Every structure is written in C-alpha cells, then in structure tokens.
Amino acid sequence: MYISSSVPWAYIIGKIQLKSDITTYGDKNPGTVNVFRAGSILWGMISAFLEISKSALPILFTITISHMSDSTMLLCIISSLIGHGFSPFLKFKGGKSLAVTAGTWLAITKGEAFYILGASLIFLKALQKNDAITVTFAFSTLYIYITLRNTTSFETESLLYGLTFNLLFIIFKHRKEYNQKLNFRSIRK
C-alpha cells in the first residue's frame, strides 16, 4: 500500500505529458490540482483517476479477496497517507494526500463517501475560498456519516480512529494555509 500510494502520478504526468514541473503552479504541491493549473483538463482528469486509484484499488482488492481486519484497514489508511504525503520518489516531499484520502474512503465505504465528500466540498467551496478550511470541514462530515450509517464490514470505532488519523494528517499537510483568513465569497445580485 505504501509503495502504490507513493507513486506521484500527477508529478509524472506533469513532467512527461505537459513537459512542466507542476510544483511551480498554485500551492507548489505535486498534486492533481496543479496538473489542471498547468493547463490540461484531460491530463488533470487522468491524473485524478490515477491518484485516487493508487489507494482505492489495493484496498478494494484486499476487501474483495479476503476479509480485511480492522487493524489491516487502519494500516492501509496510515500507509497510503504516509506513502503519498512523504513519497520516496519525491525525496520524501509528497502531496497533501487528498486524492489518496478520497480513494481510501471511497474503497472502504464502497463509494458512499463520494456523495458525502462531494456535496460537502461543493457547498464549502461555494461558501468560502480557503482550501484548507474547505477540505478540513468537508472531510469532517465523514464522522457524521460513519457514526450514523456505518454500512461497512468494519467496526465504527475503528473507522473513527482511521478518520481521526486521516484528519490530523490533512491538518498537518495544510498547516500553512490555516494562517490565511477565512474569506467568504460575495453573493452577487
């Protein structure tokens, strides 16, 4: 899981397909959003698919072929975050782990997290401009979902431990952006 998640697909796509260092764009992160910022919707979509899949597919595979224990699920969450966030292919300077977060929780919830995260991200992004706040609060909505509707084969308590580690990792990777003031979007009439 660590190796799969550490492959920096967005960075590779930037270098090979766009002939560009995507870490010179936007937040200087080697992630999918900067592939879009580098000017390619097509390669941005391909990058998003690969970045999400690198954590989702190994987890889905393991869940499908065997009964994944709660401790294995927690190890998958931790190793995918660390693999992407501190990639050995990028001298241990990885991304913010948002795509592997999405892939991990899409796999664990069998796709249901898409509706929770998608709706939360759209709502919060429409409301204000600080990406760190948007991501943190959107991801936090999974706590409510898991507590009220745990349709997975994992214990709710184990999932909440996984969510907590994941949330703390997101906060750590976005720590510089929390200094930006909360910037609400104006409503146009």
Side-chain angles (χ1 to χ4, degrees), residues 89-151:
F89 300 110
L90 296 173
K91 299 178 183 171
F92 298 97
K93 295 179 183 174
K96 294 181 179 176
S97 299
L98 297 179
V100 296
T101 291
T104 298
W105 291 100
L106 286 171
I108 289 171
T109 64
K110 297 180 180 100
E112 290 188 17
F114 173 79
Y115 303 107
I116 307 303
L117 291 173
S120 301
L121 286 168
I122 290 168
F123 173 75
L124 289 163
K125 194 63 180 170
L127 188 63
Q128 58 85 43
K129 297 177 184 177
N130 185 317
D131 289 339
I133 302 288
T134 297
V135 168
T136 304
F137 281 101
F139 184 74
S140 297
T141 61
L142 279 181
Y143 279 97
I144 298 165
Y145 164 77
I146 293 295
T147 303
L148 297 178
R149 180 183 158 78
N150 179 4
T151 60

Side-chain angles (χ1 to χ4, degrees), residues 68-104:
M68 181 186 278
S69 69
D70 285 23
S71 57
T72 302
M73 178 265 305
L74 288 169
L75 274 172
C76 284
I77 292 169
I78 293 167
S79 62
S80 67
L81 290 168
I82 292 172
H84 184 81
F86 302 101
S87 173
F89 300 110
L90 296 173
K91 299 178 183 171
F92 298 97
K93 295 179 183 174
K96 294 181 179 176
S97 299
L98 297 179
V100 296
T101 291
T104 298

Side-chain angles (χ1 to χ4, degrees), residues 2-189:
Y2 173 82
I3 296 298
S4 171
S5 293
S6 67
V7 176
W9 290 114
Y11 185 80
I12 292 168
I13 286 171
K15 284 288 190 190
I16 294 172
Q17 292 299 321
L18 304 177
K19 310 281 189 258
S20 180
D21 180 359
I22 63 167
T23 62
T24 61
Y25 292 89
D27 60 1
K28 314 294 185 227
N29 181 40
T32 296
V33 172
N34 285 340
V35 174
F36 284 105
R37 287 179 177 145
S40 179
I41 293 173
L42 171 64
W43 286 106
M45 296 299 284
I46 292 169
S47 171
F49 175 78
L50 291 171
E51 291 284 343
I52 290 169
S53 296
K54 69 185 184 183
S55 63
L57 293 179
I59 292 173
L60 283 173
F61 180 74
T62 306
I63 290 172
T64 303
I65 64 164
S66 68
H67 173 73
M68 181 186 278
S69 69
D70 285 23
S71 57
T72 302
M73 178 265 305
L74 288 169
L75 274 172
C76 284
I77 292 169
I78 293 167
S79 62
S80 67
L81 290 168
I82 292 172
H84 184 81
F86 302 101
S87 173
F89 300 110
L90 296 173
K91 299 178 183 171
F92 298 97
K93 295 179 183 174
K96 294 181 179 176
S97 299
L98 297 179
V100 296
T101 291
T104 298
W105 291 100
L106 286 171
I108 289 171
T109 64
K110 297 180 180 100
E112 290 188 17
F114 173 79
Y115 303 107
I116 307 303
L117 291 173
S120 301
L121 286 168
I122 290 168
F123 173 75
L124 289 163
K125 194 63 180 170
L127 188 63
Q128 58 85 43
K129 297 177 184 177
N130 185 317
D131 289 339
I133 302 288
T134 297
V135 168
T136 304
F137 281 101
F139 184 74
S140 297
T141 61
L142 279 181
Y143 279 97
I144 298 165
Y145 164 77
I146 293 295
T147 303
L148 297 178
R149 180 183 158 78
N150 179 4
T151 60
T152 72
S153 60
F154 305 108
E155 295 291 326
T156 299
E157 184 178 359
S158 296
L159 291 169
L160 294 175
Y161 286 139
L163 282 169
T164 301
F165 181 84
N166 203 152
L167 181 61
L168 291 172
F169 199 83
I170 288 171
I171 291 168
F172 172 75
K173 291 302 251 177
H174 285 85
R175 65 192 178 280
K176 294 175 185 168
E177 295 173 46
Y178 292 111
N179 294 334
Q180 299 170 8
K181 66 178 183 172
L182 191 59
N183 191 358
F184 289 99
R185 296 185 188 278
S186 61
I187 299 174
R188 296 184 184 135
K189 293 181 183 186

